[in-house]
Amino acid sequence: MVAMTMAAATLSAKEKKQQYVATWTTAIQKVEPHNLAPAPYLSGNSLRQIVEVSFGGKEVALKLSNEFNTEETEILGVELAEADSQGASSEIKGSSTPLFFNGKRGVTMKPGEVIVSDLVAFKMKPRMNVAITIHFGKASQTDVTGHPGSRTSSYIAKGDTKDFKDAVETAHWYYINSLLVAVPKGKFGAIAAIGNSITDGRGTTTNGQNRWTDVLSERLLQNKKTKNLSVLNLGLGGNCVLRGGLGPTANSRYNRDVLMQEGVKYAIVFEGVNDLGGSRDGEATAKQLIESFQAMIKKAHEKGIKIYGGTIMPFKGNNYYNESREKGRQMVNEWIRTSGEYDGVIDFDAATRDPEQPDRLNPAFLFENDWLHPNAIGYQKMGESIDLNLFTR
């Protein structure tokens, strides 16, 4: 992790008055075959990816991950720029800013390696859409670290180029992990939200940046007491807490994605529906989920992180549903609401359920009538339902 060491040295040179806080991040996994980059692929080509940050800053660094690769990934150069849109086009505003790795434009990531660029001066505004352009040398087509559910278009252009007018579009992120901001120590912080597809944003608008975490971020920035907090979306589609599902389980990735995330002051745990949806015994699964959540709470408290539990939303009408699984959901939610073990509750169940039939989603919030994922209106409701006072403690 040479680049990680270099980044820390850069901050110490400023008399340790600054710290890194992540203003944007995404959960990473080994990319499944059907989510790999389309032709012309990544090797020897340029990839422009767009992300929308939380708070801004004047000095930034980029974290890249090769964690799930068994081969090296060669990067010839990386630039940052302000994107012209939330992802609907590859265009940028003004000029781009090159990044360096230990003073060099290029870097080769070893298998399993995570690297952080040197700090660079870059004027980043709150909720700015940032275009991250990576020029690849040799890169595997089948062995890739990334985030499948970007809900945001990325663009692949042939060759080592800044010309993206004929680029191929794909709705996935590859290799990018976090944007870090150097900020005054103790004055900024991050909220890490670990979850599944409902946090990842299935049902939101592609290139709309309207997940519940985005709604929460915008609200925090408008509040004087919380404007220095970022919201980090660590959702993975199909994710489980205990076993199975897609991507690393929440249990296995919790340390990396939450506890080791730069600048985290608060955590939100909103998981469990996929575990229950595949369970043979809802009550037994509920007990295992509660044990996992208790372990997460203990670890967070040991690091001085406030941690909040999100209740599991109803799913009657989906093929996940049966009476046993519904009983398990009610058990978990009752424990979240009444045990007092979390530092607070975010009651997504209460915010999104049908008032007439509380074991199903409000029909006004349905995405593709799957009775599991909310639509954009539902995500707006979720983000608006969160008490901002949770983040002033």
Side-chain angles (χ1 to χ4, degrees), residues 5-67:
T5 304
M6 286 301 299
T10 304
L11 287 181
S12 65
K14 299 195 172 189
E15 301 178 4
K16 299 183 179 179
K17 291 181 180 179
Q18 289 183 305
Q19 68 174 129
Y20 277 139
V21 177
T23 185
W24 172 87
T25 197
T26 192
I28 52 173
Q29 64 176 81
K30 183 175 178 62
V31 177
E32 308 100 332
H34 63 282
N35 288 322
L36 291 166
Y41 314 117
L42 299 181
S43 188
N45 295 320
S46 300
L47 172 67
R48 179 164 290 165
Q49 304 174 91
I50 297 170
V51 304
E52 189 163 355
V53 303
S54 295
F55 56 71
K58 297 179 180 179
E59 290 184 294
V60 303
L62 174 67
K63 183 190 290 186
L64 298 168
S65 179
N66 209 43
E67 182 170 341

Side-chain angles (χ1 to χ4, degrees), residues 182-244:
V183 293
K185 187 168 285 187
K187 294 187 177 181
F188 289 74
I191 303 165
I194 189 168
N196 48 49
S197 59
I198 303 177
T199 295
D200 200 21
R202 178 169 173 77
T204 58
T205 309
T206 298
N207 299 322
Q209 311 298 339
N210 54 355
R211 312 163 189 87
W212 68 261
T213 51
D214 294 304
V215 176
L216 174 60
S217 176
E218 290 170 354
R219 293 179 62 219
L220 291 167
L221 289 168
Q222 293 165 8
N223 185 309
K224 186 176 180 180
K225 293 181 179 180
T226 58
K227 66 180 183 178
N228 290 344
L229 289 173
S230 62
V231 182
L232 308 178
N233 188 316
L234 293 154
L236 278 177
N239 200 229
C240 286
V241 176
L242 304 170
R243 63 191 69 86

